[in-house]
Amino acid sequence: MKKVILFIALCASAVSMQAQKFALMDMDYILKNIPAYERANEQLSQVSKKWQAEVDALTTEAQTMYKTYQNEVVFLSAEQKKAKQDAIMEKEKQAAELKRKYFGPEGELFKKRNALMTPIQEEIYNAVKDIADQRGYQLVLDRASDAGIIFGSPKIDISTEVLQKLGYSY
């Protein structure tokens, strides 16, 4: 009796699995073919370099102050040593705070990336959702992610269709 129930359960799950429709897409391919994404990446790169230069300038200034301190330490009084050490530590603290402000988990770069990328991601999501609804897909997987997809038939790849839905013809 148990074998019959198990067999029926396996058959039922096999039938339900066959009824589901799946599709693949390649997010890297889609993003590379959207000019707005490339422009946003370029903007992020430029602002990141600018901010990193500011952080590097403060760090270099702190290092210069430290080297000067090391050269002069034998000629300084205890009060002067303490003042120079405090100034160096303050400069290092400023550099660390600036780095956190720009590049921290909730920093300016994170906010700018969200502001530039969220509209593009939402547009792609809506296009994928529309295609999935039209074709009856229950699941759309990203072949570019680390999902462990070993093989995906090109017949079920909707990447080009997503680009076309977004107004790009490739």
Side-chain angles (χ1 to χ4, degrees), residues 86-103:
D86 289 346
I88 293 167
M89 288 174 49
E90 181 60 31
K91 192 60 72 174
E92 289 173 342
K93 183 179 172 187
Q94 288 174 359
E97 286 176 5
L98 191 62
K99 185 174 184 176
R100 184 183 45 75
K101 175 187 170 195
Y102 287 149
F103 302 108

Side-chain angles (χ1 to χ4, degrees), residues 22-27 29-30 135 137 141 143 152-162:
F22 303 99
L24 292 176
M25 61 177 251
D26 188 336
M27 186 63 88
Y29 170 76
I30 291 169
R135 293 220 183 147
Y137 296 130
L141 299 170
R143 129 185 344 232
S153 172
K155 293 176 186 175
I156 62 170
D157 191 324
I158 61 169
S159 301
T160 303
E161 191 174 346
V162 171

Side-chain angles (χ1 to χ4, degrees), residues 76-88:
L76 301 175
S77 68
E79 291 174 3
Q80 291 172 325
K81 287 180 188 178
K82 176 77 171 127
K84 294 236 183 214
Q85 289 170 352
D86 289 346
I88 293 167

Side-chain angles (χ1 to χ4, degrees), residues 6 8-9 12 27 51 88 90 105 112 118 127 130 132 139 152 160 169:
L6 181 61
I8 292 172
M27 186 63 88
W51 289 340
I88 293 167
E90 181 60 31
K112 187 142 185 91
T118 298
D130 288 348
L139 180 67
T160 303
S169 56

Side-chain angles (χ1 to χ4, degrees), residues 5-169:
I5 293 173
L6 181 61
F7 178 72
I8 292 172
L10 285 173
C11 287
S13 67
V15 168
S16 68
M17 287 176 74
Q18 289 177 346
Q20 294 178 357
K21 288 178 72 177
F22 303 99
L24 292 176
M25 61 177 251
D26 188 336
M27 186 63 88
D28 288 344
Y29 170 76
I30 291 169
L31 291 173
K32 286 178 185 171
N33 286 291
I34 297 178
Y37 177 78
E38 294 298 324
R39 286 190 302 272
N41 260 342
E42 184 59 34
Q43 262 185 297
L44 288 171
S45 177
Q46 288 174 358
V47 83
S48 177
K49 286 177 186 175
K50 177 184 168 228
W51 289 340
Q52 186 62 48
E54 290 178 33
V55 171
D56 290 346
L58 281 176
T59 303
T60 301
E61 194 175 335
Q63 290 171 346
T64 303
M65 289 170 69
Y66 181 72
K67 287 177 185 175
T68 303
Y69 168 77
Q70 284 182 319
N71 291 336
E72 299 173 347
V73 73
V74 293
F75 304 112
L76 301 175
S77 68
E79 291 174 3
Q80 291 172 325
K81 287 180 188 178
K82 176 77 171 127
K84 294 236 183 214
Q85 289 170 352
D86 289 346
I88 293 167
M89 288 174 49
E90 181 60 31
K91 192 60 72 174
E92 289 173 342
K93 183 179 172 187
Q94 288 174 359
E97 286 176 5
L98 191 62
K99 185 174 184 176
R100 184 183 45 75
K101 175 187 170 195
Y102 287 149
F103 302 108
E106 296 293 322
E108 295 298 318
L109 187 62
F110 175 80
K111 291 174 186 173
K112 187 142 185 91
R113 178 175 283 122
N114 275 348
L116 292 172
M117 297 301 183
T118 298
I120 296 168
Q121 291 169 337
E122 286 177 357
E123 191 177 12
I124 292 169
Y125 172 79
N126 290 333
V128 170
K129 186 177 180 317
D130 288 348
I131 293 168
D133 288 345
Q134 288 171 0
R135 293 220 183 147
Y137 296 130
Q138 285 83 25
L139 180 67
V140 178
L141 299 170
D142 181 10
R143 129 185 344 232
S145 73
D146 294 333
I149 298 172
I150 296 171
F151 173 77
S153 172
K155 293 176 186 175
I156 62 170
D157 191 324
I158 61 169
S159 301
T160 303
E161 191 174 346
V162 171
L163 284 169
Q164 289 170 346
K165 182 110 179 137
L166 293 170
Y168 303 101
S169 56

